[in-house]
Amino acid sequence: MSGFNKGGMGGAGMQNLMKQAQKMQEEMQETEKLLDDWEIVGTSGGEAVVVYMNAKKIIDGIEIDKSVIDPDDEEMLEDLIMAAILDGYKKAEEVYKEKMGKYSAGGMGGLF
């Protein structure tokens, strides 16, 4: 007979692995909450348009300077709003990758 262990990894090894997985799950949930509360500010037009969102790209406010509101040029205002949103999305993506990257398949050290 070879030295094969019927229990596979063995009880202690499997229990330790489960504890590590549970700890990682708890840390991931804490990070998710952090991302919900993280304020990202996207801007355009020299801050004529400001968009507020969290790191999950959920927009919760927009401020528009009256100087960029021209009833005869609504397209410019639309472009400024889109540019501010895209600026915020880019910043949110950077924060999300930084905080959640370690939980991706590549960042788990082969655990999963």
Side-chain angles (χ1 to χ4, degrees):
M1 289 207 102
S2 67
F4 180 72
N5 181 348
K6 288 184 185 178
M9 290 183 72
M14 184 58 110
Q15 189 175 19
N16 188 34
L17 185 61
M18 294 300 288
K19 284 182 183 179
Q20 286 178 323
Q22 183 177 2
K23 182 180 180 199
M24 187 174 288
Q25 178 70 25
E26 290 169 2
E27 289 174 1
M28 192 168 120
Q29 288 172 343
E30 289 174 19
T31 302
E32 288 274 348
K33 175 72 171 114
L34 176 74
L35 294 173
D36 283 334
D37 296 336
W38 198 291
E39 183 176 70
I40 303 290
V41 180
T43 63
S44 69
E47 296 189 6
V49 176
V50 179
V51 175
Y52 300 95
M53 66 184 69
N54 68 18
K56 292 182 177 178
K57 301 179 183 176
I58 305 297
I59 297 172
D60 62 1
I62 297 177
E63 293 179 3
I64 301 173
D65 189 301
K66 290 180 183 176
S67 67
V68 296
I69 300 174
D70 180 352
D72 296 324
D73 191 4
E74 63 188 51
E75 190 174 318
M76 179 192 68
L77 181 56
E78 291 167 353
D79 289 345
L80 286 170
I81 292 169
M82 285 302 300
I85 290 170
L86 292 175
D87 181 54
Y89 278 5
K90 180 180 174 190
K91 292 173 183 175
E93 186 70 26
E94 290 171 7
V95 171
Y96 190 90
K97 283 181 181 177
E98 176 188 331
K99 300 299 179 187
M100 293 298 288
K102 64 183 174 184
Y103 302 112
S104 68
M108 294 238 191
L111 184 60
F112 293 97

